[in-house]
Structures are given as C-alpha cells and as structure tokens.
C-alpha cells in the first residue's frame, strides 16, 4: 500500500475489478445460449496465436531457465485447455447436422480463476525479483497451450459427434 496516497491504491485495485465484473456479466448473460460451431474454423485462433507467440519469442527469446518455465507453462496450458474444451457443450442437430456450442459455467469459472491467479501474481511480483520479460514469455506459452488444446479437444469431439449423427 502506498501510505502517501491511499486513494491511488484503492483506484488501482478497483478499476480492474470493475472492468472484470462488467466483462464477466456480459459473458455470463450469454453462457446459456447456443452459438453455431463451425469445426472447419476452429484452427484459426490457434494459428493466429502461434504466429503471435513465434514473433514474440523470435523478437525476444527466453534466456536460460526461462525456457524451462515456458515449457512448464505450455504443459499447464495444454492441461487447462483440454479441461476447458471438455467443459464446452457441443450438440449436433440430428436432421440438419448443424453444430452448436454452449459454454459451461465451469469453463467460465476456470477463466475467472486464471484471471484471479494472474492478478494475484501481479500484486506479489513487485515484492519479488521477477523478470517482466520472463513472466510475459511464460504467460504467452500458457495461453498458447490453453487456446490450441481447447480447440483441438473441441474439434476431435465435434468430429465424433458429427460422424455419429450422420451414421444414425
């Protein structure tokens, strides 16, 4: 806490909380609604993020043990992405074979927990000797694993559901 200006400390904490609450309110409103799922487009977000991550790592490659932390974060991202992908509800219309998806409340809770962990880490980081570039590299690896694996799991499951609907 900043003893010289406690109001700035309060605002520094309140603004992200208010923004997060607004974003979560919009997301929660849409959580029960089904949205079309185009399995042929699930590769787009991971492909874009792979390019972003490659450019980030090429411009400022991790050094030394930062590579290990990035690999650990990638593995954690893969595990979280697989879980989040499994939490997405996918359905196939038996007559038209059109697919739809609906986010589960558990998937939303997982994202909220990740945001809270990130916020907590940011509050702890000033008291520790953390390298901002290493932290950024680790978060890029975590996001890459999460985004790519979530969509991979959804694609695999959606493909099975579609094949079953066409075979029935």
């Amino acid at each position: 806490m900043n003893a010289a200006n406690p109001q700035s400390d309060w605002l520094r904490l309140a603004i992200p909380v208010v923004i997060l609450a607004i974003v979560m309110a919009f997301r929660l409103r849409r959580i029960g609604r089904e949205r079309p799922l185009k399995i042929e487009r699930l590769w787009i977000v991971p492909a874009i993020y792979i390019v972003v991550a490659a450019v980030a790592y090429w411009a400022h490659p991790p050094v030394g043990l930062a590579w290990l932390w990035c690999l650990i974060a990638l593995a954690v991202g893969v595990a979280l992405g697989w879980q989040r992908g499994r939490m997405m509800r996918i359905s196939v219309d038996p007559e038209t074979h059109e697919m739809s998806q609906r986010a589960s409340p558990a998937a939303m809770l997982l994202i909220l927990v990740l945001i809270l962990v990130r916020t907590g880490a940011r509050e702890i980081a000033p008291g520790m000797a953390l390298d901002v570039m290493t932290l950024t590299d680790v978060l890029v690896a975590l996001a890459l694993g999460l985004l790519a694996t979530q969509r991979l799991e959804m694609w695999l499951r959606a493909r099975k559901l579609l094949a079953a609907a066409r075979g029935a």
Side-chain angles (χ1 to χ4, degrees), residues 119-166:
T119 303
R122 188 174 46 184
E123 290 301 315
I124 292 170
M128 302 173 71
L130 290 178
D131 178 19
V132 175
M133 289 305 293
T134 299
L135 189 58
T136 301
D137 291 338
V138 166
L139 290 174
V140 165
L142 177 78
L144 176 61
L146 189 128
L147 292 171
T149 309
Q150 174 190 345
R151 281 160 177 82
L152 174 63
E153 197 285 332
M154 290 174 65
W155 179 76
L156 290 170
R157 197 161 33 101
R159 199 175 61 162
K160 273 187 202 173
L161 290 170
L162 187 58
R166 286 182 176 157

Side-chain angles (χ1 to χ4, degrees), residues 36-143:
L37 175 63
K38 306 289 186 198
I39 62 172
E40 63 275 2
R41 294 184 187 165
L42 284 174
W43 66 272
I44 295 173
V45 170
I48 291 170
Y49 203 77
I50 285 171
V51 170
V52 168
V55 168
Y57 287 141
W58 180 75
H60 299 285
V63 179
L65 276 179
W67 280 112
L68 176 64
W69 288 113
C70 289
L71 289 174
I72 292 169
L74 182 65
V76 169
V78 165
L80 291 172
W82 194 264
Q83 279 302 103
R84 186 157 194 267
R86 283 184 27 176
M87 291 179 204
M88 301 300 254
R89 296 181 188 141
I90 299 173
S91 58
V92 180
D93 184 304
E95 294 175 12
T96 65
H97 298 151
E98 289 187 17
M99 303 190 77
S100 60
Q101 70 177 359
R102 187 174 2 152
S104 74
M108 183 58 63
L109 183 62
L110 177 63
I111 293 298
L112 182 61
V113 167
L114 289 174
I115 291 169
L116 292 175
V117 166
R118 182 184 173 275
T119 303
R122 188 174 46 184
E123 290 301 315
I124 292 170
M128 302 173 71
L130 290 178
D131 178 19
V132 175
M133 289 305 293
T134 299
L135 189 58
T136 301
D137 291 338
V138 166
L139 290 174
V140 165
L142 177 78

